[in-house]
């Protein structure tokens, strides 16, 4: 198994979408690349993200990038839907240089009009979110979500 971390606005929708995809083994809501280990503290530079464990024989990083770009606006800086602020930025984080290179190549190929603002960075810090943020839209399907979850019908495993 391998892992990659995706930030795409509010983590609830990103987690709900990603957990249903072929090749995705598990997901976990969290925060990436901030400066504190305390989830009760302010975000301290963190991006809301989802830790994705996946089977590389069943889904590639390139395919995962396709899925991410299906649910985000890659041209929107620090905003997805009604979620506004640096913690809602879009990003791809990994401890794997290969994953980061694939993500950078993917973005370079997608660059067409406006500047894509999805950051691609090594994972420097990750904190798992509190239990009430895990699988939130599974538990409370009517909560707010900026992602059109009806897209899942195309991919659901």
């Amino acid at each position: 198994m391998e892992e990659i971390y995706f930030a795409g606005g509010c983590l609830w929708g990103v987690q709900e979408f990603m957990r249903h995809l072929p090749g995705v083994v598990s997901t976990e809501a969290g925060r990436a690349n901030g400066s504190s280990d305390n989830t009760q503290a302010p975000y301290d530079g963190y991006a809301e993200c989802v830790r994705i464990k996946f089977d590389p024989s069943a889904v590639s990083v390139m395919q995962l990038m396709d899925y991410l770009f299906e649910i985000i606006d890659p041209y929107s800086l620090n905003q997805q839907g009604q979620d506004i602020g640096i913690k809602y930025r879009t990003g791809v984080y990994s401890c794997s240089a290969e994953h980061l290179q694939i993500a950078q190549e993917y973005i370079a190929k997608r660059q067409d009009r406006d500047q894509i603002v999805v950051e691609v960075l090594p994972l420097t810090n990750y904190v798992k979110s509190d239990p009430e943020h895990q699988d939130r839209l599974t538990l409370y399907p009517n909560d707010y979500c900026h992602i059109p979850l009806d897209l899942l019908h195309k991919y659901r495993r």
Side-chain angles (χ1 to χ4, degrees):
M1 293 306 121
E2 296 183 19
E3 339 185 301
I4 196 164
Y5 300 74
F6 283 166
C10 176
L11 56 80
W12 297 347
V14 177
Q15 183 180 32
E16 184 64 20
F17 187 82
M18 294 292 170
R19 72 184 201 87
H20 292 286
L21 297 174
V24 172
V25 176
S26 67
T27 60
E28 179 180 88
R31 301 176 181 184
N33 287 11
S35 59
S36 167
D37 289 336
N38 182 356
T39 59
Q40 301 304 313
Y43 268 76
D44 295 330
Y46 279 99
E48 288 198 2
C49 75
V50 175
R51 175 184 182 185
I52 301 165
K53 288 188 179 181
F54 66 99
D55 178 352
S57 69
V59 65
S60 69
V61 172
M62 193 70 76
Q63 289 169 307
L64 290 171
M65 291 294 296
D66 276 339
Y67 295 138
L68 176 65
F69 270 58
E70 182 114 25
I71 61 173
I72 65 167
D73 176 354
Y75 307 103
S76 180
L77 183 62
N78 300 332
Q79 179 176 0
Q80 293 294 306
Q82 296 176 22
D83 303 316
I84 300 171
I86 194 167
K87 72 180 185 177
Y88 297 119
R89 66 188 180 270
T90 53
V92 177
Y93 313 101
S94 181
C95 296
S96 164
E98 181 183 358
H99 291 172
L100 297 175
Q101 181 180 354
I102 292 167
Q104 289 167 339
E105 290 170 1
Y106 181 92
I107 290 170
K109 287 179 184 173
R110 292 286 303 252
Q111 200 67 262
D112 56 357
R113 52 180 180 95
D114 296 329
Q115 181 66 30
I116 291 176
V117 294
V118 177
E119 62 183 17
V120 178
L121 296 169
L123 182 72
T124 58
N125 194 5
Y126 172 77
V127 179
K128 179 180 176 180
S129 289
D130 296 327
E132 66 267 14
H133 293 292
Q134 302 299 326
D135 301 313
R136 178 75 181 198
L137 291 178
T138 300
L139 300 171
Y140 305 100
N142 294 323
D143 268 2
Y144 165 75
C145 181
H146 70 283
I147 293 172
L149 293 175
D150 59 330
L151 288 172
L152 276 171
H153 76 279
K154 295 184 344 188
Y155 309 113
R156 193 179 296 260
R157 53 185 153 128

